[in-house]
Amino acid sequence: MSDFVDRVTVHVKGGDGGNGSAGIRREKFKPLAGPNGGNGGDGGSVIFVADRNATSLLDYRFMPHRVAGNGTMGLGDNKDGSKGDDLILPVPCGTVVFQARGAVGASKHPGEQLADLRHEGDRCVIAKGGAGGLGNIALANRTRRAPGFALLGEPGEERDVILELKSIADVALVGFPSAGKSSLIAAMSSAKPKIADYPFTTLVPNLGVVVAGESRYTIADVPGLIPGASEGKGLGLEFLRHIERTEIIAHVIDCATLEPDRDPISDYQALEQELALYADKLELPLGAIPIPERPRIVILNKVDVPEAKELAEFVKPEFEKMGLKVYIISTASHEGLKELNFALCALVADMRKEVAAREEAEEEARVVIKPLEVSGRRPRRADEGGNALEFTVERRELGNGEMFYEVRGAKPERWVMQTNFDNDEAVGYLADRLAKLGVEDELRRKGAKPGDEIRIGRGSRMVDFDWDPTISAGAEMLDGSNLGARGKDLRLSEQDGRAHRRTNTERRAQYHEMMDARAAVRDAMAAERKAGHWADPTIDDDRHDETSLFGRGEDVQSQEEANEE
């Protein structure tokens, strides 16, 4: 099994943001001294970084799921949660990141290009971490002085991406199978590719670093390039993309082949035709030289065979008439390799200067468009002569005749994810935000009526509810009086004696009321005693009462005295 992987699908997910805290400061004689809940920490992000020490995408094939760290929850005493750790993923230079397209469970194919990591240190945030939820100290204002809720952390961004490696090499070796490309790399560098005498021996691109004096450059071969490769025949289509980032194309031609209907000129023309067909499908990066404009050289290989050397000497003038530089070599005897090495080195140096100049020119010519500043007021609708709203409301109908209104937009969907629906006050806060944004006005304009089903968002994060526009918005007050507020704080209800701090006047009034009530009870008991409703236990009113200790005792003593007489 080869350890070279140049395309892989990876599932990445940013860390979830931590929830905010709804803590309340506790002080002596001040049970509700004010909010002190901190904000939740932001989740970490997944970041791809181009690293020259990475040579393959093999690690991502065996570990395709990568998740960044989550943020922690906020704490009391105004302590914010910690941020989740970013996940730094090294990839080889020349890696292109695509959005993965395809049905769930089916094979994915590249979609929109997200990043092109061509140079050492290039990085891109591919999955952002979720924002931490606000604590109640951040939600407090002049009217909402003691919020009994906090916002939940947002989930991190989650997506499938395709990593595609397009080798960055200075020289690309193209040629028919068994033309000697791998042998040439092994002879000019310290690379150890697999070499055999049968077609398609090389199943993966080989890279080699060549040293010429004080200069260095890289060479790569494109395995199995045959006629029809641009249409998927053989192995060529799978690895043709490795030519996109090279600066020089070197045709390695086998002059010792015994196959009929093949000669150096026809081999060269067939390879050029496949490159031309593939070039029409390319979207070259910034500053790249189109494939037809890249310099070509012809390498006539295997001249250690006498017949091959004669053939090479015969066809060399034909290639030179085409304006091509021709080098006659033998990877077996190393004939002509030194001359080829320094010639490629000089050509690479010239091409690097040209590519750098093109990139600089493209950067200067690039137009940077900055977004216009948007005021804090609600943007007008398109029919009002202004911009569109920050959300959309559409009426949807199901096949069974049911109907609902769908609300889509970055803000409403984000607010829904931040809301704890187990807390009435938090739900009321969400309703206030939606009303202030203009969602209710837009629902009325679309024809929504009380009781209609409303859905915000899609998928697993969708929330549905029945619309009730009769509830007016408002904010809860510190003394517990709800001025039309949606939701309530149980801590501020009248059943909880700690919810309301009494003033001195209220304390005096309550004290006088208690003393008056006690005096009234004493007067009532005295009146009842005077009326005979209450008996004095020291007076024996009924001597025949067996339950009376006094009466029972006197009866027993008098009976004993009578018996003695």
Side-chain angles (χ1 to χ4, degrees), residues 501-513:
R501 294 187 61 198
R502 298 174 298 168
T503 63
N504 292 336
T505 302
E506 292 174 341
R507 289 192 181 95
R508 285 193 293 269
Q510 292 179 2
Y511 175 78
H512 291 312
E513 290 178 0

Side-chain angles (χ1 to χ4, degrees), residues 376-551:
R377 294 183 297 177
R378 181 185 71 86
R380 295 176 296 174
R381 295 192 302 267
D383 55 359
E384 297 174 344
N387 298 325
L389 292 175
E390 299 177 274
F391 60 90
T392 59
V393 177
E394 299 294 338
R395 187 177 186 272
R396 308 290 185 183
E397 293 186 2
L398 302 178
N400 54 5
E402 297 182 1
M403 177 271 301
F404 65 91
Y405 289 88
E406 183 182 58
V407 180
R408 298 295 308 280
K411 284 188 176 181
E413 295 180 25
R414 186 175 73 251
W415 293 345
V416 165
M417 291 186 292
Q418 294 174 342
T419 302
N420 178 14
F421 288 92
D422 295 332
N423 188 305
D424 291 341
E425 189 178 359
V427 176
Y429 179 68
L430 171 63
D432 292 345
R433 299 175 84 180
L434 294 176
K436 185 177 181 180
L437 185 63
V439 174
E440 292 192 348
D441 295 338
E442 190 68 11
L443 285 171
R444 292 188 183 94
R445 199 176 71 88
K446 292 289 185 176
K449 299 179 180 179
D452 288 345
E453 182 181 359
I454 309 297
R455 297 183 182 180
I456 300 179
R458 288 182 180 179
S460 59
R461 299 176 180 176
M462 184 267 295
V463 174
D464 61 331
F465 55 90
D466 293 335
W467 187 40
D468 187 3
T470 60
I471 302 178
S472 59
E476 54 89 12
M477 304 299 291
L478 182 62
D479 59 358
S481 61
N482 291 325
L483 304 178
R486 309 183 189 188
K488 59 183 178 180
D489 187 352
L490 297 179
R491 302 167 305 158
L492 303 178
S493 61
E494 295 182 358
Q495 288 78 5
D496 190 351
R498 303 174 300 172
H500 177 66
R501 294 187 61 198
R502 298 174 298 168
T503 63
N504 292 336
T505 302
E506 292 174 341
R507 289 192 181 95
R508 285 193 293 269
Q510 292 179 2
Y511 175 78
H512 291 312
E513 290 178 0
M514 180 182 64
M515 299 303 294
D516 293 342
R518 289 181 178 180
V521 170
R522 286 195 297 268
D523 295 341
M525 294 179 63
E528 291 178 356
R529 187 180 299 110
K530 185 176 181 179
H533 298 296
W534 293 85
D536 190 349
T538 60
I539 301 176
D540 189 6
D541 296 332
D542 188 2
R543 297 179 179 274
H544 301 287
D545 186 3
E546 297 181 356
T547 60
S548 175
L549 296 178
F550 296 99

Side-chain angles (χ1 to χ4, degrees), residues 138-376:
L139 299 174
N141 52 31
R142 294 175 58 186
T143 56
R144 186 180 290 104
R145 300 180 183 178
F149 68 99
L151 299 184
L152 303 180
E154 300 179 23
E157 188 177 4
E158 187 174 5
R159 59 173 28 162
D160 289 332
V161 297
I162 293 179
L163 303 181
E164 188 174 281
L165 175 58
K166 299 180 179 180
S167 302
I168 295 183
D170 299 306
V171 181
L173 304 180
V174 297
F176 278 73
S178 299
K181 300 184 296 296
S182 299
S183 300
L184 180 58
I185 290 180
M188 297 182 66
S189 68
S190 59
K192 304 298 181 184
K194 182 180 179 181
I195 300 174
D197 59 351
Y198 53 86
F200 300 113
T201 303
T202 304
L203 300 179
V204 297
N206 294 317
L207 294 175
V209 179
V210 183
V211 179
E214 297 180 356
S215 302
R216 296 163 57 118
Y217 62 93
T218 57
I219 56 177
D221 70 332
V222 180
L225 185 59
I226 62 176
S230 61
E231 300 176 356
K233 186 176 181 181
L235 302 176
L237 183 61
E238 186 66 21
F239 302 112
L240 264 175
R241 59 177 170 269
H242 293 276
I243 301 179
E244 297 179 15
R245 305 303 173 87
T246 58
E247 300 165 359
I248 302 169
I249 297 178
H251 288 269
V252 180
I253 298 177
D254 183 6
C255 292
T257 181
L258 300 178
E259 298 182 17
D261 301 330
R262 279 189 57 186
D263 60 83
I265 301 297
S266 62
D267 287 357
Y268 172 80
Q269 294 174 348
L271 295 176
E272 280 294 325
Q273 183 179 1
E274 293 303 318
L275 292 177
L277 293 175
Y278 184 71
D280 296 336
K281 306 176 183 178
L282 293 181
E283 294 183 2
L284 296 177
L286 183 67
I289 302 175
I291 289 181
E293 300 178 11
R294 297 178 189 178
R296 264 79 162 167
I297 65 171
V298 175
I299 302 174
L300 302 178
N301 193 17
K302 300 183 181 181
V303 296
D304 53 291
V305 179
E307 294 81 1
K309 187 173 183 63
E310 294 179 4
L311 180 60
E313 295 291 347
F314 179 76
V315 298
K316 181 179 179 180
E318 298 296 330
F319 285 112
E320 292 177 345
K321 291 179 181 179
M322 301 179 189
L324 300 171
K325 294 183 179 181
V326 183
Y327 299 89
I328 299 176
I329 68 164
S330 171
T331 56
S333 63
H334 288 200
E335 178 184 348
L337 291 185
K338 185 176 181 179
E339 180 185 358
L340 174 63
N341 186 4
F342 283 94
L344 287 175
C345 181
L347 192 56
V348 166
D350 295 339
M351 292 305 299
R352 286 176 178 175
K353 295 179 181 178
E354 183 177 350
V355 171
R358 285 183 176 231
E359 290 182 353
E360 184 178 357
E362 291 289 344
E363 287 289 348
E364 294 178 354
R366 178 182 295 181
V367 178
V368 179
I369 301 176
K370 296 182 179 180
L372 298 176
E373 296 183 359
V374 181
S375 61

